[in-house]
CSV table of all heavy atoms in Angstrom, one decimal:
chain,number,residue,atom,x,y,z
K,8,PRO,N,-0.2,17.9,7.2
K,8,PRO,CA,0.0,17.6,8.6
K,8,PRO,C,-1.1,18.2,9.5
K,8,PRO,O,-1.5,19.3,9.2
K,8,PRO,CB,1.4,18.1,8.9
K,8,PRO,CG,1.6,19.2,7.9
K,8,PRO,CD,0.8,18.7,6.7
K,9,ASP,N,-1.4,17.5,10.5
K,9,ASP,CA,-2.4,18.2,11.4
K,9,ASP,C,-1.6,18.9,12.5
K,9,ASP,O,-0.4,18.8,12.6
K,9,ASP,CB,-3.4,17.2,12.0
K,9,ASP,CG,-2.7,16.0,12.8
K,9,ASP,OD1,-1.7,16.3,13.4
K,9,ASP,OD2,-3.2,14.9,12.7
K,10,GLU,N,-2.2,19.6,13.3
K,10,GLU,CA,-1.6,20.4,14.3
K,10,GLU,C,-0.9,19.6,15.4
K,10,GLU,O,-0.1,20.1,16.1
K,10,GLU,CB,-2.6,21.4,15.0
K,10,GLU,CG,-3.1,22.4,13.9
K,10,GLU,CD,-4.2,23.3,14.5
K,10,GLU,OE1,-4.3,23.4,15.8
K,10,GLU,OE2,-4.9,23.9,13.8
K,11,GLN,N,-1.3,18.3,15.5
K,11,GLN,CA,-0.7,17.5,16.6
K,11,GLN,C,0.6,16.8,16.2
K,11,GLN,O,1.3,16.3,17.1
K,11,GLN,CB,-1.7,16.4,17.0
K,11,GLN,CG,-3.0,17.0,17.6
K,11,GLN,CD,-4.0,15.9,17.8
K,11,GLN,OE1,-3.9,14.8,17.4
K,11,GLN,NE2,-5.1,16.3,18.5
K,12,HIS,N,0.9,16.7,15.0
K,12,HIS,CA,2.1,16.0,14.5
K,12,HIS,C,3.2,16.9,13.9
K,12,HIS,O,2.9,17.8,13.1
K,12,HIS,CB,1.8,14.9,13.5
K,12,HIS,CG,0.9,13.9,14.0
K,12,HIS,ND1,-0.5,13.9,14.0
K,12,HIS,CD2,1.2,12.7,14.7
K,12,HIS,CE1,-1.0,12.8,14.6
K,12,HIS,NE2,0.0,12.1,15.0
K,13,GLU,N,4.4,16.8,14.4
K,13,GLU,CA,5.5,17.5,13.8
K,13,GLU,C,5.9,16.9,12.5
K,13,GLU,O,5.9,15.6,12.4
K,13,GLU,CB,6.7,17.5,14.8
K,13,GLU,CG,7.8,18.4,14.3
K,13,GLU,CD,9.0,18.4,15.3
K,13,GLU,OE1,8.7,18.2,16.5
K,13,GLU,OE2,10.1,18.6,14.8
Side-chain angles (χ1 to χ4, degrees):
D9 60 33
E10 294 176 18
Q11 296 175 350
H12 295 91
E13 183 178 333

